[in-house]
Coordinates of all heavy atoms in Angstrom, one line a residue:
C1402 N -19.0 8.1 -4.0 CA -18.9 9.5 -4.4 C -20.0 10.3 -3.7 O -21.2 9.9 -3.8 CB -19.0 9.6 -5.9 SG -19.1 11.3 -6.5
Q1403 N -19.7 11.4 -3.2 CA -20.7 12.3 -2.5 C -21.7 12.8 -3.5 O -22.9 13.1 -3.2 CB -20.1 13.4 -1.7 CG -19.3 12.9 -0.5 CD -18.8 14.0 0.3 OE1 -18.6 15.1 -0.2 NE2 -18.4 13.7 1.6
E1404 N -21.3 13.0 -4.8 CA -22.2 13.6 -5.8 C -23.1 12.5 -6.4 O -24.3 12.7 -6.4 CB -21.3 14.2 -6.9 CG -20.5 15.4 -6.5 CD -21.3 16.6 -6.2 OE1 -22.4 16.8 -6.9 OE2 -21.0 17.4 -5.3
C1405 N -22.5 11.4 -6.9 CA -23.3 10.5 -7.7 C -23.6 9.2 -7.0 O -24.3 8.3 -7.5 CB -22.7 10.3 -9.0 SG -21.1 9.4 -9.0
Q1406 N -23.0 9.0 -5.8 CA -23.2 7.8 -5.0 C -22.7 6.5 -5.7 O -23.2 5.4 -5.4 CB -24.7 7.6 -4.6 CG -25.2 8.9 -3.9 CD -24.5 9.2 -2.6 OE1 -24.3 8.3 -1.8 NE2 -24.1 10.4 -2.4
Q1407 N -21.8 6.7 -6.6 CA -21.1 5.5 -7.3 C -19.8 5.2 -6.5 O -19.2 6.1 -6.0 CB -20.8 5.8 -8.7 CG -22.0 6.2 -9.6 CD -23.0 5.0 -9.7 OE1 -22.6 4.0 -10.1 NE2 -24.2 5.2 -9.4
L1409 N -16.1 4.7 -5.6 CA -14.9 5.3 -6.1 C -13.8 4.3 -6.3 O -13.8 3.2 -5.7 CB -14.3 6.3 -5.0 CG -15.3 7.5 -4.6 CD1 -14.7 8.3 -3.5 CD2 -15.5 8.3 -5.9
C1424 N -14.5 8.6 -9.5 CA -15.8 8.0 -9.6 C -16.1 7.8 -11.1 O -15.5 8.5 -12.0 CB -16.8 8.8 -8.9 SG -17.5 10.2 -9.8
P1425 N -17.1 6.9 -11.4 CA -17.4 6.6 -12.8 C -17.8 7.8 -13.6 O -17.6 7.9 -14.8 CB -18.5 5.6 -12.7 CG -18.3 4.9 -11.4 CD -17.8 6.0 -10.5
K1426 N -18.5 8.8 -13.0 CA -19.0 9.9 -13.7 C -18.0 11.1 -13.7 O -18.2 12.1 -14.5 CB -20.3 10.4 -13.0 CG -21.5 9.4 -13.2 CD -22.8 10.1 -12.8 CE -24.0 9.2 -13.2 NZ -25.2 9.8 -12.9
G1427 N -17.0 11.0 -12.9 CA -15.9 12.1 -13.0 C -16.2 13.2 -12.1 O -15.4 14.2 -12.1
C1428 N -17.2 13.2 -11.2 CA -17.4 14.4 -10.3 C -16.4 14.3 -9.2 O -16.1 15.3 -8.6 CB -18.8 14.4 -9.8 SG -19.7 12.9 -9.7
T1429 N -15.9 13.1 -8.9 CA -14.8 13.0 -7.9 C -13.5 12.6 -8.7 O -13.5 11.6 -9.5 CB -15.0 11.9 -6.9 OG1 -16.1 12.3 -6.1 CG2 -13.8 11.7 -6.0
Ligands
ZN177 ZN1 -19.4 11.0 -8.7

Side-chain angles (χ1 to χ4, degrees):
C1402 172
Q1403 291 185 340
E1404 294 288 327
C1405 66
Q1406 305 302 309
Q1407 300 294 307
L1409 300 175
C1424 80
K1426 290 190 172 183
C1428 31
T1429 295

